[in-house]
Amino acid sequence: MKAIRRFTVRPVLPEPLQPLSDLARNLRWSWHTETRELFEAVDPAGWRAADGDPVRLLGAVSAARLAELAGDRPFLDRLTAAADDLDTYLRGERWYQARDGQGAELPAAVGYFSPEFGVTAALPQYSGGLGILAGDHLKAASDLGVPLIGVGLLYRHGYFRQSLSRDGWQQEQYPVLDPNELPLTLVREEDGTPAQVVLALPGRRALRACIWQAHVGRVPLLMLDSDVEENGPGERDVTDRLYGGGSEHRLLQEMLLGIGGVRAVRTYCRLTGQPAPEVFHTNEGHAGFLGLERIRELAGTGLGFDAALEVVRAGTVFTTHTPVPAGIDRFDRELIARHFGDDGELPGVDAERILGLGLETYPGGRPNLFNMAVMGLRLAQRANGVSALHGAVSREMFAGLWPGFDPEEVPITSVTNGVHAPTWVAPEVARLGAAGTSGAAGSASAGSGSGSSRWDAGSEIPDGDLWDVRHVLREQLVTEVRKRLHASWRLRGAQAAELGWIDGVLDPDVLTIGFARRVPSYKRLTLMLSDRDRLRALLLHPERPVQIVVAGKAHPADDGGKRLVQELVRFADDPRVRHRIVFLPDYGMAMAQKLYPGCDVWLNNPLRPLEACGTSGMKAALNGCLNLSVLDGWWDEWFEPDFGWAIPTADASTSDEHRRDELEANALYELIEDRVAPRFYDRGAGGLPDRWIAMVRRTLGTLGPKLLADRMVREYVERLYAPAAHAHRLLDTGTATELAAWKDRTRALWPRVSVDHAEAVAATAVGSTAELGSTLSLRVRIGLGELDPDDVEVQAVAGRVGSDDAIVDARSFPLKPADGPDIEGRWMYEGPLALDRTGPYGYTVRVLPAHPLLATSADLGLVALPTEATGEGAGVLMR
């Protein structure tokens, strides 16, 4: 029988054990080994049954056991030490406070909005890399003392749980999550009633949401939940599941995340007295509506739309995570129009102005669609991709928003992702480094809050110790795989009596390759199956066998992805190879924390350049796992032969996707056959794989520090948050109004700006050639119409030229007005151009808007360039 109602009975802890509740409710335990070990000591069997979730553990432990622990002096001493350590962590000065004390202009607080957060498996509110990255961002911010406020949604069904049918087809289940059984606290008003945010919907309906708070170390994470009694059935289901439902359902989720999220932050700051955010960080376009709510707030103070937009842009950071247009949320313009304006949300804000922020009104765009990433970019003065290559891809992808500018000048920078070492580094690896003179491999730099240890401790670890730990981790993975595989086969309908073969699955002495990620087609789950006979030969090699552990979820609506999963599963079910290759269903954080450390090689073979970053390989590397990857995402940026192997790609050699996959699969097989496996099994005089261990050591000591989320968050603070806070502070009401008026005037008058004539003279020029090291003297006549020289910047842009006269490796040089306007109102600009490179060389001239408060010269997307008739031509040949 099923219960007609569910509720939670909370345990009553004896007074001496009260600190356990605080420790369980702060998710710092998810990355703090000593606290986890303390909870395990409460009830080891219960800890395993609770899957390492202290809230569930405390809800199930017996009263007798609690009474016993209340009188256990050694346990109480450990409890006191853990509680004191947490208190010190929460209250102590961190890196951010030290930087602030040194005079750095840092924001008082930052609002960080994301549709998903992967903090711990005990709070299943994530689907993949975006959410795990967001969770690691919060943890690193906590370690560094960055005053972040996380904002997301609480999905009552989370993301789906994955299982397999007998024939290997993906099955989805959506478990019901009770917030009272999660490490969450309901935010309440001063009178004790639950705090709520309210959104207006068409037809005079309302969408209400309560606010749950998770404590992620020092960082509050606010999660909005629409499952409240005041809502109608449709509104209650808005936060039912992550990435579920149709277009309107997704729109309501994103309105609640962005608009409701800002209101939740205001409520939280009012109730706690915490500083309000000066900077708002939009992690992907899903939360982009937060900018509209902030415009509405400012409009309520009497600021006009344009001036309010300038203030919002100055204090907003937008991070894009997708390298493919299909990965961006788009909505019909009619759907957006129906939900905004006087009959919907944000009354008083012109619905046409809202539409204008998101419509694809650029060449090649679809102007009937509202693009969330386009809105995110238009509402943010600072934007970034998540690796150097992804930044370049993003500049190409969104270049239409800045017509007239080359892609490399599009104002999208990059901050390469990092991962939170204390979460992802196995305790055995951390303890191994701790045996060195200075600390633990796997800990972040001193003062960050992640530990006081050095990454270079790996250089002091004896080869034998390092190899022993790698073997232990491989053994742990083998045990975990067999347990999960047995559970999976039972769900597929197998009887225990037919599963004896699982006891022989995998071997802790065999080279182990891991592959785990979401299963869109571009990640190519089944590339390894391109030549099945060759793969079998690799798996069953008599002297150098390979074993592969695979995991990943296909989106419930993606039948193509499900077919890829089924294809892989059916291959892995073959009795000839099933002891060497396995597919583990229900990939998530708990599985990942065993999988990454236990693998020797991490495989990543996406279609280049469609992997924005690929942080799973980072987590593996922090545990001494070597990467075998296409040069995409972060691997393109930091690959060295000491860290692993680069899979050659055929992206430029063929347009036939089957031929391309065949070429790249063959390259993958060759690498494993000829380089990876031989190096793993090549033993030196001491019986150890000396060259392999040297690569592991270099991966830990040299690559490791680059991969840390601490490094990533520091970059966000110094390169994006601090400049955004500074820009935001400069825009008071008068300044913002003046800047908005200047932009309007500049846009209106820009069509009359022209480059009328350009000429260059080189003292040592002979015909169309000039000497290296000489200087060209440029003279350019510019028409400014009704604009003034203070409104523009005139530049010469020079560099090498190709056969099509396109300038590459361009550099810009400012030109200055020589005197006043001539009788026709034209201005003469002059300046030197140093010829510092040999070969075909060319220049052009352009005029850009200029204002002290512009973040970049491309801010307005306006540029005036020479026409075909301008001047004497751009080419100068150097010798």
Side-chain angles (χ1 to χ4, degrees):
M1 292 185 291
K2 289 188 176 181
I4 63 171
R5 186 178 179 188
R6 179 188 178 116
F7 54 91
T8 299
V9 180
R10 294 190 178 278
V12 179
L13 295 175
E15 184 61 32
L17 301 182
Q18 285 298 319
L20 283 174
S21 180
D22 293 333
L23 290 170
R25 291 285 166 180
N26 193 306
L27 295 176
R28 189 212 183 198
W29 59 259
S30 67
W31 72 90
H32 191 250
T33 301
E34 290 81 0
T35 304
R36 291 197 305 274
E37 290 174 347
L38 176 72
F39 280 113
E40 184 176 10
V42 169
D43 182 356
W47 178 250
R48 291 190 294 272
D51 294 325
D53 177 353
V55 174
R56 286 175 56 194
L57 168 73
L58 295 181
V61 68
S62 69
R65 176 57 178 162
L66 291 175
E68 179 184 353
L69 289 172
D72 184 337
R73 177 47 53 190
F75 179 85
L76 294 178
D77 289 344
R78 290 177 64 188
L79 175 57
T80 299
D84 289 346
D85 184 75
L86 176 61
D87 185 69
T88 299
Y89 175 85
L90 297 177
R91 298 178 186 277
E93 183 178 271
R94 319 299 290 180
W95 169 83
Y96 193 87
Q97 288 69 40
R99 291 280 289 123
D100 196 36
Q102 294 165 2
E105 190 172 3
L106 303 177
V110 176
Y112 182 87
F113 288 61
S114 178
E116 50 175 304
F117 286 91
V119 180
T120 167
L123 189 60
Q125 300 291 306
Y126 60 92
S127 70
L130 176 68
I132 302 301
L133 181 279
D136 282 7
H137 196 107
L138 297 194
K139 295 173 188 176
S142 173
D143 290 341
L144 294 167
V146 180
L148 216 66
I149 301 174
V151 183
L153 301 180
L154 179 67
Y155 305 96
R156 288 298 185 107
H157 296 278
Y159 201 51
F160 71 91
R161 301 293 302 271
Q162 179 196 45
S163 61
L164 301 172
S165 68
R166 185 73 189 210
D167 67 350
W169 189 256
Q170 174 178 294
Q171 310 285 303
E172 299 99 24
Q173 301 84 36
Y174 288 90
V176 178
L177 301 176
D178 181 352
N180 293 292
E181 296 175 354
L182 300 174
L184 300 171
T185 303
L186 190 62
V187 176
R188 296 183 180 275
E189 296 286 353
E190 294 176 353
D191 62 3
T193 59
Q196 288 190 351
V197 298
V198 183
L199 271 66
L201 301 182
R204 301 189 180 278
R205 295 177 296 140
L207 171 61
R208 300 177 181 273
C210 62
I211 309 166
W212 296 90
Q213 179 183 353
H215 298 271
V216 186
R218 299 164 66 111
V219 172
L221 169 58
L222 308 179
M223 310 181 80
L224 280 71
D225 175 15
S226 69
D227 190 9
V228 298
E229 292 183 0
E230 295 91 335
N231 280 334
E235 288 71 44
R236 291 187 76 153
D237 288 342
V238 166
T239 55
D240 56 353
R241 58 185 62 175
L242 180 58
Y243 302 142
S247 184
E248 185 167 14
H249 188 80
R250 289 286 294 275
L251 174 61
L252 291 178
Q253 285 189 340
E254 297 183 10
M255 288 176 63
L256 183 59
L257 174 60
I259 299 170
V262 173
R263 295 173 187 175
V265 168
R266 303 302 188 208
T267 298
Y268 172 80
C269 293
R270 170 175 56 82
L271 293 172
T272 62
Q274 299 296 311
E278 294 180 272
V279 173
F280 287 78
H281 185 173
T282 307
N283 192 40
E284 252 311 337
H286 310 84
F289 290 124
L290 72 85
L292 300 181
E293 168 64 7
R294 294 172 59 214
I295 288 174
R296 183 199 64 80
E297 291 178 329
L298 292 167
T301 68
L303 210 58
F305 183 94
D306 291 328
L309 174 60
E310 295 305 325
V311 175
V312 167
R313 290 186 72 250
T316 301
V317 174
F318 173 73
T319 299
T320 174
H321 288 263
T322 179
V324 290
I328 298 170
D329 277 346
R330 291 174 166 90
F331 300 103
D332 288 338
R333 64 172 293 157
E334 291 79 9
L335 182 64
I336 298 292
R338 188 166 69 248
H339 281 81
F340 288 95
D342 292 336
D343 190 41
E345 193 43 76
L346 309 184
V349 179
D350 186 350
E352 287 301 316
R353 299 301 302 270
I354 293 173
L355 286 170
L357 290 169
L359 295 181
E360 299 179 3
T361 51
Y362 47 81
R366 298 170 62 186
N368 62 318
L369 293 181
F370 188 91
N371 184 311
M372 294 297 289
V374 166
M375 179 179 66
L377 289 166
R378 286 174 173 158
L379 284 170
Q381 198 174 69
R382 288 162 181 81
N384 69 283
V386 292
S387 68
L389 179 59
H390 180 235
V393 170
S394 298
R395 288 188 286 275
E396 290 271 4
M397 184 171 159
F398 295 109
L401 294 173
W402 289 272
F405 290 87
D406 291 338
E408 58 267 23
E409 295 185 292
V410 167
I412 301 175
T413 185
S414 63
V415 175
T416 301
N417 284 343
V419 297
H420 187 244
T423 295
W424 299 109
V425 172
E428 292 80 4
V429 177
R431 286 194 289 267
L432 178 70
T437 60
S438 299
S443 296
S445 58
S448 71
S450 300
S452 59
S453 306
R454 284 190 351 229
W455 270 91
D456 58 1
S459 63
E460 303 159 2
I461 302 167
D463 282 5
D465 292 351
L466 191 55
W467 189 242
D468 287 345
V469 165
R470 294 295 314 145
H471 190 272
V472 167
L473 295 172
R474 210 178 303 116
E475 284 182 323
Q476 291 179 2
L477 176 60
V478 169
T479 300
E480 182 77 6
V481 165
R482 292 174 181 174
K483 180 184 74 173
R484 288 180 176 271
L485 195 62
H486 190 277
S488 173
W489 271 101
R490 291 305 304 270
L491 287 174
R492 294 174 70 180
Q495 300 299 312
E498 58 183 311
L499 297 179
W501 60 272
I502 290 179
D503 292 339
V505 166
L506 303 189
D507 182 333
D509 293 316
V510 167
L511 171 63
T512 304
I513 298 177
F515 181 101
R517 52 198 20 93
R518 292 183 302 109
V519 192
S521 59
Y522 76 86
K523 291 182 183 283
R524 298 194 292 185
L525 171 73
T526 56
L527 185 70
M528 66 181 76
L529 303 182
S530 297
D531 186 336
R532 300 187 181 207
D533 289 338
R534 197 167 178 184
L535 177 59
R536 288 189 192 96
L538 281 170
L539 297 171
L540 303 176
H541 194 285
E543 297 172 357
R544 299 191 299 273
V546 172
Q547 58 195 14
I548 305 176
V549 182
V550 184
K553 293 179 176 181
H555 189 280
D558 181 10
D559 282 349
K562 292 181 183 181
R563 282 191 288 272
L564 296 178
V565 171
Q566 185 180 50
E567 187 179 352
L568 195 288
V569 170
R570 286 178 170 175
F571 180 85
D573 284 350
D574 185 340
R576 292 174 294 176
V577 296
R578 64 187 182 186
H579 64 298
R580 286 282 186 259
I581 182 169
V582 297
F583 180 88
L584 300 180
D586 207 31
Y587 178 47
M589 290 187 71
M591 180 194 297
Q593 286 172 318
K594 291 291 186 182
L595 182 54
Y596 300 138
C599 291
D600 301 294
V601 173
W602 196 257
L603 174 62
N604 189 28
N605 47 230
L607 285 174
R608 187 179 190 274
L610 302 185
E611 183 79 274
C613 185
T615 55
S616 61
M618 293 179 166
K619 297 161 194 156
L622 291 184
N623 288 281
C625 180
L626 307 181
N627 274 264
L628 171 61
S629 175
V630 165
L631 287 175
D632 202 358
W634 74 272
W635 191 236
D636 178 78
E637 193 170 342
W638 288 326
F639 162 73
E640 290 182 18
D642 286 340
F643 307 149
W645 299 268
I647 303 171
T649 55
D651 44 303
S653 61
T654 178
S655 58
D656 182 337
E657 63 180 51
H658 299 294
R659 176 60 176 160
R660 177 204 60 215
D661 287 353
E662 179 185 2
L663 291 171
E664 296 187 14
N666 286 335
L668 171 61
Y669 296 139
E670 288 174 7
L671 278 172
I672 297 174
E673 291 166 343
D674 300 337
R675 298 174 63 185
V676 180
R679 179 158 296 194
F680 180 86
Y681 287 105
D682 179 26
R683 298 299 193 262
L688 299 175
D690 299 323
R691 293 195 301 159
W692 188 278
I693 293 172
M695 293 179 71
V696 171
R697 195 184 305 281
R698 286 278 291 172
T699 294
L700 288 172
T702 304
L703 177 60
K706 300 178 182 179
L707 307 180
L708 301 179
D710 280 11
R711 184 269 312 154
M712 172 188 71
V713 172
R714 284 190 178 101
E715 286 193 39
Y716 273 109
V717 168
E718 294 171 342
R719 294 176 48 201
L720 296 170
Y721 295 167
H726 176 73
H728 184 264
R729 290 168 185 170
L730 291 177
L731 288 181
D732 57 27
T733 299
T735 307
T737 301
E738 183 275 326
L739 176 61
W742 177 86
K743 283 189 173 183
D744 282 345
R745 177 174 178 270
T746 301
R747 289 190 182 100
L749 298 178
W750 196 258
R752 298 188 61 187
V753 176
S754 60
V755 179
D756 295 338
H757 180 76
E759 62 182 19
V761 177
T764 58
V766 179
S768 61
T769 66
E771 296 283 353
L772 176 66
S774 63
T775 300
L776 293 178
S777 178
L778 298 183
R779 286 177 57 85
V780 184
R781 193 168 68 161
I782 302 294
L784 296 181
E786 296 180 44
L787 293 177
D788 297 321
D790 288 343
D791 295 321
V792 302
E793 179 180 359
V794 180
Q795 297 177 343
V797 181
R800 291 190 178 91
V801 292
S803 58
D804 60 354
D805 285 340
I807 299 175
V808 295
D809 299 324
R811 296 172 58 191
S812 61
F813 303 86
L815 303 178
K816 300 298 182 183
D819 44 36
D822 62 18
I823 192 170
E824 296 178 350
R826 300 306 199 257
W827 293 79
M828 187 64 69
Y829 278 74
E830 297 179 340
L833 175 60
L835 303 180
D836 57 356
R837 283 173 278 185
T838 59
Y841 196 80
Y843 76 89
T844 188
V845 178
R846 66 183 180 184
V847 186
L848 303 168
H851 191 283
L853 294 177
L854 294 184
T856 71
S857 56
D859 201 338
L860 274 72
L862 299 175
V863 59
L865 297 168
T867 64
E868 291 290 331
T870 299
E872 57 190 21
V876 175
L877 179 67
M878 295 171 52
R879 67 172 186 265

